[in-house]
Amino acid sequence: RSLDSRTAMHLFVSGRCSPNLVSTAPLPPRPRSDHELLAILNRVGGTPAAIMEHPELLAALLPALRADLALADGYSVDPGHHIDCPITALGGADDPSHSGGIQSWKEFTRGKFRTRNFPGGHFYISTAAEALAREFVQDVHATLGMSAPGARSQL
């Protein structure tokens, strides 16, 4: 099989609404000032004070953030596009960046859909790594039709 014929088995998403909820036309690149990027970092939280207080560390971080946002702004899908694999949409219960958009992934798949919120904000992953790993294992096993390790069989 060629790489082009491969399909996803399961999609895990986090921290952003589905692409079909966002404008269907890519936005033109919009340069963001350092001030705008710092405001975004402050809004979503999770950036250690040690980084925020040192201009040389911020100088290393801001180009990557600027590039990530440019990729997100420029991405679009055709209206009505769907995928066939199951989707698990994960998020932080207090994340201001998804404000309900996590549920929008349900309309992006013809497969099964599940959401899971964890305590915390946009960077909930840093405190929920073990629980998150369990979610991955559970859903991948379900997608493969297997019982997750340690799961009780239901007779």
Side-chain angles (χ1 to χ4, degrees):
R1 287 172 72 176
S2 73
L3 285 177
D4 294 336
S5 67
R6 292 183 185 184
T7 59
M9 176 182 71
H10 197 111
L11 177 63
F12 294 89
V13 297
S14 180
R16 187 168 169 89
C17 61
S18 73
N20 57 357
L21 187 65
V22 180
S23 169
T24 57
L27 296 172
R30 181 174 82 78
R32 288 186 169 88
S33 69
D34 287 357
H35 180 73
E36 287 177 284
L37 294 176
L38 291 171
I40 291 169
L41 289 175
N42 284 323
R43 183 173 52 89
V44 298
T47 306
I51 292 175
M52 298 297 282
E53 295 167 359
H54 290 89
E56 67 279 5
L57 295 175
L58 284 174
L61 173 67
L62 294 182
L65 178 58
R66 190 173 281 114
D68 284 352
L69 292 172
L71 282 173
D73 287 348
Y75 183 77
S76 69
V77 296
D78 293 330
H81 180 78
H82 293 87
I83 61 173
D84 295 320
C85 73
I87 294 177
T88 302
L90 308 159
D94 301 321
D95 184 358
S97 70
H98 74 70
S99 62
I102 198 166
Q103 191 68 29
S104 68
W105 287 95
K106 183 176 186 175
E107 304 304 319
F108 195 63
T109 184
R110 291 184 193 98
K112 291 182 180 181
F113 175 77
R114 188 170 81 87
T115 62
R116 176 73 163 87
N117 281 308
F118 295 87
H122 191 69
F123 295 101
Y124 71 90
I125 292 172
S126 63
T127 58
E130 189 174 317
L132 195 57
R134 282 192 301 270
E135 297 293 326
F136 290 155
V137 169
Q138 172 187 322
D139 284 357
V140 168
H141 277 90
T143 297
L144 294 173
M146 302 167 53
S147 295
R152 293 186 198 172
S153 64
Q154 306 215 350
L155 301 176

